[in-house]
Amino acid sequence: MAVATETDSSPRPRRIYHSLFFQVIVAVILGVLIGHLWPTVGEALRPLGDGFIRLIKMLIAPLIFCVIVTGIAKVGDLGSVGRIGVKALVYFQVVTAFALFYGMVVANLFKPGVGFEVDPADLDTGALEEVTQGGELPGVAQFFLDVIPESVVGAFAENSLLQVLFFAVFVALALSKLGERGKPVLDLIERFTDVIFVCIGWIMRVAPIGAFGAMAFVIGAYGLSSLSSFGMLIIACYSAAVIFLFALAVIARVLAGVNLWKFLRYTKEEFALAIGAASSEAVMPRIMQKLTNAGCSKATTGLVVPTGYSFNLDGAAIYLPIAALFLAQAFGADLSVADQLMMVLILLLTSKGMAGVPGSAFLALSATATALGAFPAAGVALLLGADRLMDTMRVSINLLGNCVATFVIARWEGQLDMERMRAVLDGREPPAREEDEEKPVKTEVSEAPNETAGALAGTGDTDKGTTGDTASPTER
């Protein structure tokens, strides 16, 4: 074992190709090229993307359980847990309603469906049935009933995040009630959390391969030709997303004191990977790590982020009214303002049951079409060619909206360490927290730099000068 000297311990310059952000961007570009030039090969690479997402999903349920249990058990305040939940649901409802109304306004300005003149007889609904797998969105009562697991084992086996969250809250409150008697169990869960972080570090090493396979499949299966066919729809959606990004920046600054642009720099690897893999779930573990490292309490992060994945789909909320009015315009239906407001109300209800349902966007649009009667529900099949091209917009806005929500709720609850948040986002060394001082982490000197530790610390392969994050997963 080599003995560390002052010269040895100095930070080594990191080359750009060591950055996860750079690796994912290169992988996405290669995926686009492969999918465009050799579509058959691109489609055949789908297992790479699906395999990576499965690797991440197998850790999400245990991670959420551990984070919520340790976070709430240490707070030990049932009232605080209730306040966080209520404030989060109210915030989600308000922001979702705004996003839906905003999407309706954008669709009226851009009129993306004008000039299509679609004949319903020409529609092929077979592909639509394949995407939705004959499913349907649950009603409001059924949705909330489904939050209660019939079996704890089933909740983990089916990766039902809300059911895992529900069970975790009960366990956390029970451990808090037990006090010292529950401490051994809590310590065990904390140690198991460290094990999960190590596994996440290993999986993130193959993230570029997953992004490459996912992007190659999307382009190979759907092609870039869809860009010209649905040009105005794509322009409307992405323009709406860019403007909504500024709205989120205002919310983050006014309600939480967070500079959103610095946060995006801090989390650029996660957003690049989410876009490349077309899945916000692919980065849920890492984004939760980074939120807690940036000053949000574990209890707030553990409650708000998983709940937001079901209740706060801002990107989908923007897309749905634009897509619905696109179809209405394509079929020549003239919807009045009252009809459009009714459409927004229907989408406000149906969008809450979208998470985890195959083809949920198509089901929500079909339900809206049936309720309005303005255009045939089968017309939703028209969007099959463009829907996957909207994933980048939906995934990025969904993910960012949940991050902003976490900061806002944490600030409202007094569970946002402002000093630490500013230090982390500015790239400075963050101040030590009480839990860090109580449980110091033993480090060992080795001959090679520990690359895994950087990934586990929630910084991925980012330059340490950018994030200023040197804490270990245990410290978080």
Side-chain angles (χ1 to χ4, degrees), residues 111-118 229 232 326 328-332:
K111 300 186 182 301
V114 173
F116 261 72
E117 300 179 357
V118 179
S229 302
M232 282 306 297
F326 165 81
Q329 294 161 4
F331 285 101

Side-chain angles (χ1 to χ4, degrees), residues 6-19:
E6 292 185 4
T7 304
D8 295 332
S9 61
S10 60
R12 301 185 181 183
R14 298 184 64 82
R15 301 186 184 279
I16 188 172
Y17 53 78
H18 288 156
S19 165

